Amino acid sequence: MKKNLIAVIAFLFAANGIFAKNINFQIVQNNPGTEEVFVTSYLFEQAMVDFFFESGHIVSNSPAIIYSDETGDKDELKKALVETTIGSMDILVRVFVNYDQVNAKNPKVFLLELVKSVSWKSYSGSTGKLISEGSLLPGPIDSTNNNESGIYNFASLAASKISAGLKNAK
């Protein structure tokens, strides 16, 4: 009995290692005209790292940035891909937190209502090729989720969708 239990535990650890990936994240705050990364963007980053780390992956992150324009974003993508390659990471996931540009002015507030949507693009760390992408809208927002906890839960839901996309892209 004890040998069987040890064999099962060893198998579970080995199976986790087979599916574990080295994942690098970059949060892209899509709120042009702002100069400071919002605390909400950092909370998204933390939720991504927590979700994938708890799923058994090795996780890193490139610095969060503010989307300026298409040209600047292409340059930032190149930098993040270089960081991913140098860090020997398998995948780069760029998460775009798209803000309500009219109302999102205070970088220090935790309000889910300021997030219009989240989208992501995942790239192979070795080739730079796009391997999956998707987007997610926040559900109904009320006083129970228009706060730090609601943002973290929404970001965690996005992380689960990203994870499913990465599994399907194999």
Side-chain angles (χ1 to χ4, degrees):
M1 177 73 174
K2 191 173 184 180
K3 287 182 182 179
N4 289 341
L5 180 61
I6 292 171
V8 169
I9 292 171
F11 173 76
L12 290 175
F13 278 111
N16 190 38
I18 292 169
F19 299 111
K21 295 282 185 196
N22 298 330
I23 301 174
N24 184 29
F25 286 95
Q26 181 176 49
I27 300 298
V28 181
Q29 177 176 299
N30 190 358
N31 193 11
T34 59
E35 296 180 16
E36 186 176 349
V37 177
F38 285 19
V39 293
T40 298
S41 295
Y42 288 124
L43 187 59
F44 263 86
E45 181 177 65
Q46 186 61 52
M48 295 291 153
V49 169
D50 289 350
F51 179 90
F52 282 92
F53 180 77
E54 290 169 5
S55 298
H57 300 284
I58 297 168
V59 184
S60 180
N61 64 302
S62 292
I65 62 165
I66 298 171
Y67 181 90
S68 56
D69 58 32
E70 193 72 34
T71 303
D73 188 53
K74 286 180 183 178
D75 292 341
E76 292 295 338
L77 171 59
K78 288 177 187 175
K79 287 180 194 175
L81 283 168
V82 167
E83 291 170 357
T84 301
T85 302
I86 290 171
S88 299
M89 305 304 278
D90 299 317
I91 298 168
L92 167 65
V93 179
R94 297 184 84 215
V95 179
F96 296 81
V97 182
N98 305 304
Y99 287 90
D100 175 347
Q101 294 180 12
V102 173
N103 295 316
K105 301 295 181 203
N106 185 347
K108 305 219 182 304
V109 297
F110 287 111
L111 294 174
L112 183 57
E113 69 187 23
L114 300 181
V115 178
K116 288 193 329 187
S117 66
V118 173
S119 57
W120 56 87
K121 292 185 178 188
S122 303
Y123 300 88
S124 166
S126 59
T127 66
K129 178 184 167 195
L130 181 68
I131 56 175
S132 70
E133 62 185 317
S135 63
L136 186 64
L137 300 172
I141 300 169
D142 58 31
S143 61
T144 63
N145 67 357
N146 195 24
N147 52 36
E148 184 175 355
S149 178
I151 294 166
Y152 189 90
N153 291 337
F154 177 58
S156 296
L157 176 61
S160 71
K161 301 283 186 189
I162 292 168
S163 179
L166 292 175
K167 287 177 185 171
N168 293 335
K170 289 183 180 181

